[in-house]
Amino acid sequence: MAETWIVLGASSSMARALVRRLAARGDGLILAGRDLADLERDAADARVRGAAFAEVVRFDAREPACVAPILARAKACEGTVSAAVFVGSMPPQAEIDADPGLIEGVVTDSFTGPARLLQGLAPIIEARGAGTVIGVGSVAGDRGRISNYVYGAAKAAFATYLSGLRNRLGRAGGHVLTVKPGFTDTAMTWGIEGMFLVASPDKVATDILSALEKQRNVIYTPFFWMGIMGIIRLIPERVFKKLSV
Amino acid sequence: MQWKTADYAGWGRALRARGRIARPERVSALRDALAEGGPAIGNRLSYGDGALNADGAAVQMTRMDRLLAFAPETGVIEVEAGATIGALLKLLAPQGWMPAVMPGTGLATIGGCIANDVHGKNHHGAGSFGQHVLAVTLMTQTGPREVSPASDPALFRATMGGQGQTGAILSARLKLMAIPGQRMKVVETRMRDFDSFIAALDASEADFTVGWIDATAKRKRLGRGILEEGTLVEGTRPGPERRPKPVPFDAPRALLSWPVVKIFNRWYGSGVPDSGRKRTRALDEFFFPLDALTDWNRLYGKRGFHQFQCVVPADRAPALKEILTTIARGGVASPLAVLKRMGPGRAGHLSFPMDGYTLAVDLPARARVPALYARLEEQVIAAGGRIYLAKDALARPESMAAMYPELEAWRAEAAKADPERRLATDLVRRLKLRSA
Ligand SMILES: Cc1cc2nc3c(=O)[nH]c(=O)nc-3n(C[C@H](O)[C@H](O)[C@H](O)COP(=O)(O)OP(=O)(O)OC[C@H]3O[C@@H](n4cnc5c(N)ncnc54)[C@H](O)[C@@H]3O)c2cc1C
Ligand SMILES: NC(=O)c1ccc[n+]([C@@H]2O[C@H](COP(=O)([O-])OP(=O)(O)OC[C@H]3O[C@@H](n4cnc5c(N)ncnc54)[C@H](OP(=O)(O)O)[C@@H]3O)[C@@H](O)[C@H]2O)c1
């Protein structure tokens, strides 16, 4: 029996690119998000491309009540159930500075909302002795920068969470892949100035799939961001605090 | 962010625009973007200004590219308009189907193929792209609306080849062509000159034909080149997937100087022995030979280039020979010239095809090109032919009524669908397509 994937944030173009590849290998897909009418079109696309099945469920990271029905659906699936998390939101830092009330939403979207669902999925993976969690973080989580430190903090929290979850699920036959994309050409970044080395969503999806095959734990995509972030992490804090990178 | 302001260009890079561009990834974002006005555009493979809207807004459809339904028994597929022809071919060929009409690049979107009612190497038999469209869904102010030849024949006709002026196409239902396998048997034959080329095109019984000609050859050699005839055959894809190579920088001007082009053409022609050559090719290699190099338009340098493509009626082959003579004498480099036989098939008021012969020649953007183009334009009108809007950057508005006799009927439909002319492109304004 093929694998079933719960995809949170399925409307992201990165998710869409991965879903197409998973569909082509015949996996089952549960596309979770807020824009259900549009996700139905993604589900149709997945079916045409060969998915065993593709359906849509509502997931709003900020509504804890969404979690239970998705978990119930997961339990009802035979075989391996895996999850891929693409949820995240990045309001401009200036808006957050003006309205600190936004912080909670950013942290919920990138961390606590998805974590709540994964927390419920973990026992299912453990019970079945198989299953993968793909968590999309960001290079922004590797170091807090003046231009988006709240978003970065949420992504750092998610990465730390994934590390712990890996530790837990690894013992039971599960696997956790943390993905840290650099600048990617998606709706989130359309029109943002000053981006460089921008990758396509397809590139991110290809990297994710090959990392899955190799059972990698943490990847940067494209790979060169590992080098860039390695250097950025090495800069002493007393120097870094004066930079605007 | 929904909008960004960018400098952008047509494929020829000679005409440019600065304006706001949105690239929606979902229907609700598309609806919001369209509410601000501006045409839908695809991958901007139209050579001139067909996909430009200077100082205005444009909605790039390339991320609206989902496959909505496919019936492998009947070969009908419904796709969002931003999907590319090449992506469809890749997905469908292993299942025994392909788009019935494909232009020379796999990067063209379905929306672009409809809005220019494109033709392929099988036009003489299969007709134009729009003839295989069963229905389109247009985004209107009140929401998506399906339009078919039965539901609204006039609007449907105005949409096929309609330069996007009847509304943004959200999706289309297409009748595919059944194929026996993923291979094309190709026979290449050398052609001595123009007359033998025309005779060979007329005599050919192949489903797919294209003539590559050396537009720099003059006098006795005028019109020499290679005729490629393709027949679909059984078998899996021959050879591995292609990996397109990028052209990393704009070519220096010298690269395409006249002598270099002549040498290029001689070399190209010499790849085929006198006795001809038979090869088996993968479908994408046959249909989209130029896609092997991404961004090959950079080979023409920063100033860019134009393409002149015309069609003349079948009984006016001699006029086409005159046109080719004008080009060869013009002394402007044109390493990529194509000669094809066309059938009568066309789906819209402004569709390009007519029963006859079509010639397409690249012209680097140089000072003397507009004058040359104007001369060619006159010759085309005199021959009762027309210039292809998808390639055009230089034609004059006065020529349109003669070339496109159904222009008035189209205008009326476009005006009904978009009374405020919110969808006008630079091409539509330059050629005064929507105003008398
Ligand atoms: C190498 C090469 C080879 C080619 N070979 C051929 C050939 O063999 N035969 C042929 O016929 N053409 C050929 N062409 C031309 C090309 O097929 C057309 O210009 C086609 O329209 C390009 O599609 P696009 O998606 O890039 O559209 P664009 O160039 O971006 O747009 C073209 C027109 O379509 C409209 N449009 C695009 N999407 C939509 C939509 N969703 N809804 C409404 N309107 C829309 C735009 O407003 C514009 O008017 C070739 C071009 C190149 C570069
Ligand atoms: N683009 C980049 O350069 C880049 C770089 C590094 C990391 N990333 C990360 O990559 C992931 C994908 O982002 P993207 O670039 O593809 O941008 P995107 O299109 O904005 O995707 C964000 C996704 O998160 C979902 N989402 C946001 N808030 C939500 C909520 N409250 N509840 C449920 N879903 C919610 C969105 O769903 P809706 O459809 O419901 O809005 C959407 O699917 C994100 O985690 C992002 O942080 C992006």
Side-chain angles (χ1 to χ4, degrees):
Chain A
M1 166 81 197
E3 203 164 345
T4 298
W5 291 85
I6 302 169
V7 184
L8 303 184
S11 60
S12 134
S13 46
M14 284 184 211
R16 201 179 271 177
L18 181 69
V19 163
R20 289 178 175 182
R21 286 165 170 76
L22 297 174
R25 49 181 227 196
D27 290 356
L29 290 154
I30 298 172
L31 307 181
R34 296 178 293 183
D35 190 344
L36 298 181
D38 201 74
L39 285 175
E40 286 293 356
R41 302 170 80 90
D42 285 302
D45 181 81
R47 285 191 291 269
V48 171
R49 289 171 197 274
F53 68 91
E55 55 193 49
V56 164
V57 299
R58 186 174 151 70
F59 175 72
D60 185 330
R62 301 183 191 191
E63 274 177 33
C66 291
V67 170
I70 301 177
L71 290 177
R73 181 67 188 89
K75 274 197 195 111
C77 290
E78 279 172 43
T80 306
V81 181
S82 294
V85 178
F86 290 87
V87 185
S89 62
M90 189 177 69
Q93 183 63 43
E95 279 176 27
I96 301 175
D97 293 343
D99 176 9
L102 293 176
I103 293 176
E104 222 176 292
V106 173
V107 174
T108 307
D109 294 347
S110 270
F111 169 40
T112 47
R116 212 182 278 125
L117 186 126
L118 295 178
Q119 213 51 25
L121 184 67
I124 301 176
I125 291 179
E126 285 171 328
R128 299 188 184 186
T132 303
V133 171
I134 300 171
V136 176
S138 170
V139 294
D142 279 12
R143 197 145 192 193
R145 299 180 300 131
I146 187 163
S147 56
N148 65 359
Y149 57 93
V150 169
Y151 170 76
K155 291 295 188 189
F158 190 48
T160 304
Y161 170 80
L162 290 172
S163 160
L165 188 66
R166 175 178 304 115
N167 209 315
R168 171 178 168 186
L169 294 182
R171 290 154 211 249
H175 181 67
V176 176
L177 167 64
T178 305
V179 180
K180 298 186 180 183
F183 294 127
T184 313
D185 185 14
T186 67
M188 186 182 271
T189 52
W190 180 254
I192 292 185
E193 309 261 315
M195 294 203 302
F196 50 90
L197 299 170
V198 179
S200 69
D202 262 331
K203 167 68 181 156
V204 171
T206 310
D207 282 359
I208 291 178
L209 219 55
S210 87
L212 277 186
E213 267 158 36
K214 295 179 198 141
Q215 294 272 299
R216 297 277 305 274
N217 297 308
V218 181
I219 60 158
Y220 287 81
T221 164
F223 74 94
F224 51 72
W225 282 98
M226 186 158 101
I228 297 174
M229 295 321 293
I231 292 165
I232 288 183
R233 273 199 312 269
L234 282 177
I235 302 172
E237 199 62 25
R238 77 190 134 74
V239 178
F240 193 78
K241 71 181 182 185
K242 295 182 185 138
L243 302 180
S244 359
V245 283
Chain B
M1 226 178 290
Q2 173 89 306
W3 294 96
K4 80 173 179 194
T5 300
D7 293 301
Y8 61 108
W11 180 249
R13 296 168 85 224
L15 297 190
R16 295 170 179 273
R18 184 169 176 77
R20 297 189 311 146
I21 301 190
R23 189 190 58 190
E25 296 182 345
R26 62 180 77 185
V27 176
S28 56
L30 172 63
R31 197 186 317 111
D32 293 348
L34 291 170
E36 303 209 13
I41 60 174
N43 263 323
R44 276 185 282 114
L45 292 155
S46 296
Y47 281 63
D49 45 4
L52 309 185
N53 187 21
D55 306 319
V59 181
Q60 191 181 320
M61 296 294 292
T62 48
R63 289 277 166 101
M64 301 295 297
D65 66 344
R66 290 164 290 190
L67 314 175
L68 300 175
F70 173 48
E73 324 77 51
T74 53
V76 173
I77 193 166
E78 182 165 9
V79 292
E80 288 186 338
T84 64
I85 277 287
L88 287 192
L89 175 64
K90 189 171 166 184
L91 184 98
L92 295 167
Q95 305 183 55
W97 297 98
M98 72 176 193
V101 171
M102 295 191 278
T105 170
L107 299 172
T109 65
I110 299 307
C113 288
I114 292 173
N116 274 313
D117 193 17
V118 301
H119 54 270
K121 295 174 180 176
N122 55 352
H123 186 269
H124 52 287
S128 68
F129 192 87
Q131 294 183 286
H132 304 271
V133 176
L134 301 172
V136 290
T137 298
L138 294 177
M139 290 295 278
T140 67
Q141 311 270 358
T142 53
R145 168 177 168 201
E146 185 166 292
V147 178
S148 71
S151 77
D152 193 337
L155 178 58
F156 185 84
R157 222 175 124 65
T159 301
M160 302 299 113
Q163 299 293 323
Q165 299 303 296
T166 59
I169 301 161
L170 171 62
S171 61
R173 211 157 59 235
L174 311 174
K175 179 87 183 85
L176 301 165
M177 175 184 280
I179 54 175
Q182 298 181 62
R183 297 174 176 221
M184 187 68 81
K185 202 180 77 199
V186 185
V187 178
E188 291 159 302
T189 317
R190 273 171 179 264
M191 296 289 128
R192 264 193 337 275
D193 57 22
F194 186 82
D195 293 336
S196 39
F197 222 133
I198 293 291
L201 282 170
D202 285 342
S204 174
E205 291 183 347
D207 289 335
F208 300 88
T209 56
V210 58
W212 301 96
I213 75 173
D214 172 358
T216 64
K218 294 185 204 163
R219 285 179 284 276
K220 268 194 1 247
R221 297 212 176 84
L222 183 84
R224 69 166 180 184
I226 294 161
L227 173 66
E228 232 176 80
E229 300 176 275
T231 309
L232 287 162
V233 292
E234 282 178 22
T236 51
R237 188 183 211 287
E241 286 291 331
R242 278 200 300 185
R243 285 173 184 267
K245 292 185 187 56
V247 174
F249 50 82
D250 296 343
R253 200 175 159 186
L255 196 65
L256 277 159
S257 68
W258 182 248
V260 177
V261 168
K262 274 187 114 156
I263 293 167
F264 169 87
N265 280 340
R266 201 168 310 150
W267 165 80
Y268 189 87
S270 66
V272 176
D274 285 338
S275 53
R277 175 166 66 169
K278 287 193 176 62
R279 297 198 276 172
T280 300
R281 313 213 56 189
L283 299 181
D284 55 344
E285 289 168 358
F286 176 78
F287 287 107
F288 321 129
L290 296 169
D291 290 357
L293 276 182
T294 27
D295 298 333
W296 61 261
N297 50 354
R298 305 182 80 170
L299 289 173
Y300 282 93
K302 275 207 174 59
R303 289 164 70 184
F305 68 114
H306 300 291
Q307 185 172 94
F308 165 79
Q309 180 168 4
C310 70
V311 58
V312 301
D315 57 357
R316 301 304 301 273
L320 193 61
K321 191 172 178 180
E322 289 306 314
I323 288 169
L324 183 58
T325 309
T326 306
I327 292 167
R329 288 214 188 113
V332 192
S334 28
L336 290 166
V338 172
L339 181 65
K340 275 191 281 209
R341 182 77 170 94
M342 284 196 140
R346 57 208 304 274
H349 304 102
L350 296 189
S351 294
F352 169 69
M354 66 167 71
D355 189 11
Y357 305 94
T358 175
L359 173 70
V361 184
D362 287 357
L363 306 167
R366 297 290 175 266
R368 59 184 141 151
V369 166
L372 172 65
Y373 199 96
R375 221 171 313 137
L376 295 170
E377 203 175 335
E378 276 160 29
Q379 286 180 283
V380 170
I381 293 175
R386 59 174 73 102
I387 284 176
Y388 192 10
L389 299 179
K391 311 294 178 74
D392 178 62
L394 296 168
R396 291 161 305 180
E398 303 82 73
S399 309
M400 290 304 114
M403 292 182 181
Y404 291 93
E406 293 176 84
L407 183 58
E408 277 307 326
W410 178 79
R411 248 178 213 159
E413 278 305 316
K416 254 196 266 169
D418 175 36
E420 293 162 45
R421 294 188 197 164
R422 289 153 59 95
L423 302 172
T425 59
D426 286 0
L427 178 141
V428 165
R429 282 184 291 267
R430 173 172 59 84
L431 296 174
K432 301 200 169 68
L433 291 182
R434 299 205 42 196
S435 47

